[in-house]
């Protein structure tokens, strides 16, 4: 049975969240704001995204402004949001949309753009262009799994849940208001049908929900046992000259943290690296200087999606960066660090007291 879209939309009219990218009741959604927010919200919380979204709109009021901005500047503005391939795709997508003059209005056209997958294409199409489709994110998966009490564990059940979710908007009321219906689903998952302790007593879809009827709605969606996250290790060198400038380099354009700025260091490997071994991979100045002054500043840990990273930070004070003239990298004055595309893991390394 398809739950009542009218019941959900009535609840949404009373309880809808006010978000900086969301059009108010009766207003037309801005495709640029919808797209920007959806890209930022991938793997990131609403609270985290809000200040980034507002800063991006201030610096890049239109998609043309974003398209014409240097990539390194965009990466710097993104720094701290993580999943940096999103920022590179954001920039590439802005350039394509600016070239054609507007966003495509169909799911297929949107999905052909860089960084826009099936979910994001449906979300933009429904919210910005009133296309009656259901975007399936974690919130909608959870709602669907509970409505149907799906026992198959995640992530294996994902395709089945996607098919079930596609029927949520069959009610004519949902077809008449695709954008509001999509956002109502998001708000239902974020505020009522939460992962732990769902508020079933105030849920507009309580009656048809099989998980509620089971007496244990929080059991759904069923999760497969988590695999142990592997650990990796490395050493980085925080080289500082007498003016306080820091030596940085850019990571390769593709791959993890592609194009971002970083401290030079060793490769990241499965086993801890001895300091003596790390020094063999240090920038040439560390071994060539007559009396290199270095010390272990400390260790940091950073968690990526698929592994945890443990970095030892070696601080080195140099008179100048002359010995690094043939090394990959560049000197960055300390007061210019904020303009560099430094990922969170490198910000942690720089924050250690020397």
């Amino acid at each position: 049975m398809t739950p009542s879209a009218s019941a959900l939309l009535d609840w949404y009219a009373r309880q809808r969240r006010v978000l900086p990218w969301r059009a108010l009741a009766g207003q037309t959604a801005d495709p640029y704001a919808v797209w920007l927010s959806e890209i930022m919200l991938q793997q990131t919380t609403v609270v985290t995204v809000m200040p980034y979204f507002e800063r991006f709109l201030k610096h890049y009021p239109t998609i043309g402004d974003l398209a014409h901005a240097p990539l390194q500047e965009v990466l710097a503005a993104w720094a701290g949001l993580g999943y940096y391939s999103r920022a590179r795709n954001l920039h590439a997508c802005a350039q394509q949309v600016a070239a054609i003059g507007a966003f495509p209005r169909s799911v297929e056209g949107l999905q052909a753009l860089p960084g826009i997958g099936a979910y994001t294409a449906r979300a933009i199409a429904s919210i910005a262009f009133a296309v009656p489709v259901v975007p399936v994110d974690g919130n909608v998966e959870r709602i669907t799994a509970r409505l149907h009490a799906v026992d198959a564990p995640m992530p294996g059940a994902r395709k089945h849940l996607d098919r079930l979710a596609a029927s949520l908007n069959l009610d004519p009321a949902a077809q008449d208001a695709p954008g509001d219906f999509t956002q109502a689903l998001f708000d239902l998952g974020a505020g009522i049908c939460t992962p732990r302790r769902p508020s079933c007593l105030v849920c507009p879809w309580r009656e048809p929900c099989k998980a509620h009827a089971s007496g244990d709605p929080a059991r759904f969606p069923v999760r497969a046992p988590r695999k142990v996250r592997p650990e990796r290790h490395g050493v980085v060198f925080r080289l500082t000259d007498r003016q306080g400038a820091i030596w940085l380099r850019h990571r390769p354009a593709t791959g993890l943290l592609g194009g971002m700025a970083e401290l030079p260091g060793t490769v990241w490997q499965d086993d801890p690296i001895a300091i003596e071994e790390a020094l063999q991979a240090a920038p040439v100045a560390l071994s060539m200087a007559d009396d290199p002054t270095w010390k272990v500043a400390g260790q940091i840990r950073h968690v990526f999606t698929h592994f945890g990273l443990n970095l030892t930070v070696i601080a080195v004070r140099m008179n100048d960066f002359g010995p690094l003239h043939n090394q990959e990298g560049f000197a960055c004055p300390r007061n210019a660090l904020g303009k560099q595309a430094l990922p969170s893991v490198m910000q942690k390394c720089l924050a250690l007291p020397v």
Side-chain angles (χ1 to χ4, degrees), residues 71-80 84 246-251 259-263 329-344 346-347 350:
L71 176 58
Q72 283 299 315
E73 179 185 295
V74 175
L75 288 172
W78 190 275
Y84 294 96
I246 293 177
W247 190 261
L248 300 175
R249 68 184 181 189
H250 286 120
R251 291 181 62 83
M260 304 292 285
E262 69 172 359
L263 296 171
F330 59 97
C332 179
R334 186 171 293 275
N335 62 6
L337 286 173
K339 297 180 180 179
Q340 296 298 324
L342 287 161
S344 297
M346 290 299 140
Q347 293 179 28
L350 290 166

Side-chain angles (χ1 to χ4, degrees), residues 319-332:
N319 285 329
D320 59 64
F321 292 137
L324 298 176
H325 70 279
N326 63 346
Q327 297 284 303
E328 177 189 8
F330 59 97
C332 179

Side-chain angles (χ1 to χ4, degrees), residues 119 135-144 154 158 189 193 221 223:
Y119 158 76
V136 184
D137 68 346
N139 284 320
V140 178
E141 277 185 347
R142 186 168 59 256
I143 292 166
T144 306
M154 298 288 285
R158 188 153 281 147
C193 198
R223 300 285 177 182

Side-chain angles (χ1 to χ4, degrees), residues 238 263 300 313 334 345-354:
R238 195 168 77 187
L263 296 171
I300 66 98
V313 181
R334 186 171 293 275
V345 60
M346 290 299 140
Q347 293 179 28
K348 289 180 182 179
C349 294
L350 290 166
L352 287 175
V354 178

Side-chain angles (χ1 to χ4, degrees), residues 169-185:
N169 70 342
L170 294 181
D171 188 320
Q175 296 281 313
D176 289 342
D180 280 353
F181 185 77
T182 288
Q183 293 173 112
L185 286 173

